[in-house]
Amino acid sequence: MKKVGIVGWRGMVGSVLLERMHAEKDFAHFDAVYFSTSQAGEKGPDGKPLKNAQNVKDLTDMDIILTCQGGDWTKEMHPQVRAAGWKGHWIDAASALRMDKSAVIILDPVNQAVIDRARNDGLNDWIGGNCTVSLMLLGVGALFKQGWVEWASSHTYQAASGAGAKNMLELLKQMQFFGDRLRDGMNAGQSALEIEKQVGVLMKDAAFPREAFGHPLAANLLPWIDSALPSGQSREEWKAEAEANKILGNTRPIPIDGTCVRVGALRCHSQALTIKLNKDIPLAEIEAAIKADNAWVRLVENDKEKTLKGVTPAAVSGSLDIAVGRLRKMSLGPTFVNAFTCGDQLLWGAAEPLRRMLRQVV
Ligand code: NAP
């Protein structure tokens, strides 16, 4: 059986990945070997000592490396194992290698043909896409595949867990900080405005937990994700056009841009989409194309109750559903379509494409 080295298994993406691999009985198809950057020698999830994720020899003993460790580790270790002549499959959640010529961004329900071509060409670096990009393409990729899209604008509402385990815990600690300090006043019947003023003061308190995000996220939002680029975009915003076109294998890139925002949801990324069509396509045709595109997309009628019940992080968390709602022609004109999508960024946005790619190469 093939040996698969698993790195980053105890992080946010890695934990969800292991859950899914157990649920799908993937472990029956290969021998898993667990690595860590910080706990080598300690007991891994299979009860055996963890291997050191910085040891090139141990890594190159593997047939396949599956990593959700993060970009810094990928940048450090990928060049070393390739320089050592290792020709195995490298499957990675981090963005570090995504735009490399020799790497393929994997999202098989959308780009199996691109993956097949790359396998025929002997490529072996398989990289999961940015979470919001993958979720957008699973939701409304049909419109791109039909050649109907002139440009698209995506404004995101991204959950705390998108930044990792520490960040999600920090959001909860921030909520707890408010709860602990506001409880007495709330129980004594303080007014909403009095409580709101205290929240503002507590956000500036030296003891307020802000190590991971650097800012309050609870009772707030953060309209910047990832580093700044000379274009004025954040790197997260830049990824939409760059990665979506690479995933789709487009030779003529379709412009995609918008603002990426971190919100106080724990899990699931949502996005509001404005899609400019290159001709007036009837809404019924658009709906039919979206519904028929893949097995996970769940189109929700543009109805208030159905939307509030079905197109939210609370409705979608922990499931492979890609909810698409608020689908309507906009008052801007008949070629402008509005949509809102919500998907679990830890599942289809990260773990699931990696798991499915692993099964393909195994
Ligand atoms: P993460 O939760 O921060 O975990 C990454 C690693 O951090 C772990 O494997 C672990 O490695 C170490 N770690 C340190 N403290 C930890 C703690 N308290 N709990 C768990 N692990 C801890 O990162 P992630 O969100 O899974 O992201 C991994 C990669 O996937 C990144 O490149 C990210 O950009 C990408 N990605 C993430 C998401 C998402 O929604 N989170 C979506 C798409 C892609 P050791 O065992 O070696 O110490």
Side-chain angles (χ1 to χ4, degrees):
M1 288 227 272
K2 294 240 187 309
K3 279 190 282 183
V4 179
I6 303 182
V7 191
W9 52 273
R10 79 181 178 107
M12 225 48 264
V13 175
S15 310
V16 169
L17 179 65
L18 291 199
E19 268 176 34
R20 283 290 298 141
M21 286 163 74
H22 281 295
E24 297 292 338
K25 303 194 172 24
D26 291 340
F27 291 102
H29 302 275
F30 51 81
D31 288 327
V33 179
Y34 294 92
F35 287 76
S36 173
T37 61
S38 62
Q39 301 182 329
E42 289 179 35
K43 225 194 245 178
D46 56 356
K48 293 184 191 153
L50 291 165
K51 299 235 179 228
N52 180 354
Q54 258 96 17
N55 184 315
V56 175
K57 167 79 182 63
D58 284 349
L59 289 168
T60 53
D61 277 349
M62 301 295 119
D63 298 297
I64 297 164
I65 293 170
L66 173 61
T67 169
C68 344
Q69 181 60 32
D72 290 344
W73 182 83
T74 296
K75 281 184 206 150
E76 184 191 349
M77 299 313 295
H78 180 269
Q80 292 190 51
V81 298
R82 291 295 186 212
W86 185 73
K87 300 265 188 303
H89 292 282
W90 177 282
I91 305 174
D92 197 338
S95 63
L97 302 173
R98 272 183 210 145
M99 297 312 290
D100 282 12
K101 271 220 167 88
S102 57
V104 179
I105 306 182
I106 47 171
L107 189 63
D108 65 271
V110 175
N111 71 345
Q112 186 62 53
V114 173
I115 294 171
D116 290 342
R117 265 202 308 277
R119 288 195 69 186
N120 282 335
D121 293 345
L123 300 193
N124 51 14
D125 285 337
W126 312 106
I127 318 300
N130 169 264
C131 34
T132 45
V133 176
S134 297
L135 296 173
M136 174 182 73
L137 289 180
L138 281 162
V140 299
L143 278 53
F144 289 88
K145 289 185 209 164
Q146 296 280 354
W148 291 344
V149 181
E150 186 180 321
W151 54 257
S153 180
S154 159
H155 298 278
T156 71
Y157 305 79
Q158 299 183 222
S161 58
K166 283 186 212 148
N167 295 62
M168 196 190 84
L169 288 171
E170 183 169 279
L171 171 63
L172 291 166
K173 283 182 199 153
Q174 292 183 354
M175 291 172 170
Q176 190 178 35
F177 192 87
F178 289 138
D180 289 348
R181 284 156 185 79
L182 298 172
R183 187 174 299 111
D184 291 346
M186 287 185 73
N187 288 342
Q190 274 182 341
S191 75
L193 217 53
E194 278 171 329
I195 292 164
E196 182 275 330
K197 273 193 195 125
Q198 289 172 57
V199 166
V201 172
L202 289 171
M203 281 178 176
K204 297 187 184 86
D205 192 300
F208 188 79
R210 58 164 70 79
E211 226 175 75
F213 280 113
H215 302 273
L217 179 60
N220 197 20
L221 59 78
L222 300 172
W224 198 290
I225 298 176
D226 209 335
S227 51
L229 296 179
S231 60
Q233 293 167 301
S234 70
R235 183 168 291 280
E236 187 80 355
E237 289 151 7
W238 169 83
K239 287 172 184 170
E241 178 175 321
E243 291 192 20
N245 282 291
K246 181 165 178 175
I247 291 172
L248 292 164
N250 287 342
T251 41
R252 274 222 341 255
I254 295 170
I256 308 172
D257 200 1
T259 305
C260 290
V261 181
R262 186 79 64 198
V263 296
L266 290 186
R267 184 168 171 170
C268 285
H269 291 348
S270 310
Q271 45 200 316
L273 299 165
T274 300
I275 301 168
K276 170 71 174 72
L277 303 176
N278 44 31
K279 56 184 172 190
D280 180 3
I281 317 269
L283 200 56
E285 254 183 74
I286 294 170
E287 287 172 353
I290 289 174
K291 270 191 205 161
D293 188 57
N294 64 68
W296 299 275
V297 72
R298 178 167 56 79
L299 187 63
V300 176
E301 192 189 323
N302 188 24
D303 161 272
K304 183 176 176 184
E305 275 318 305
K306 286 178 184 158
T307 302
L308 296 179
K309 209 171 153 209
V311 197
T312 62
V316 169
S317 279
S319 85
L320 290 164
D321 271 13
I322 305 291
V324 179
R326 304 308 326 273
L327 198 68
R328 61 179 175 85
K329 290 289 181 86
M330 300 176 84
S331 61
L332 303 174
T335 56
F336 290 84
V337 174
N338 185 74
F340 191 87
T341 78
C342 183
D344 191 320
Q345 96 285 354
L346 292 168
L347 284 163
W348 268 122
E352 196 61 10
L354 304 190
R355 189 192 76 72
R356 292 165 65 93
M357 192 65 217
L358 175 62
R359 286 296 292 270
Q360 288 198 31
V361 298
V362 162

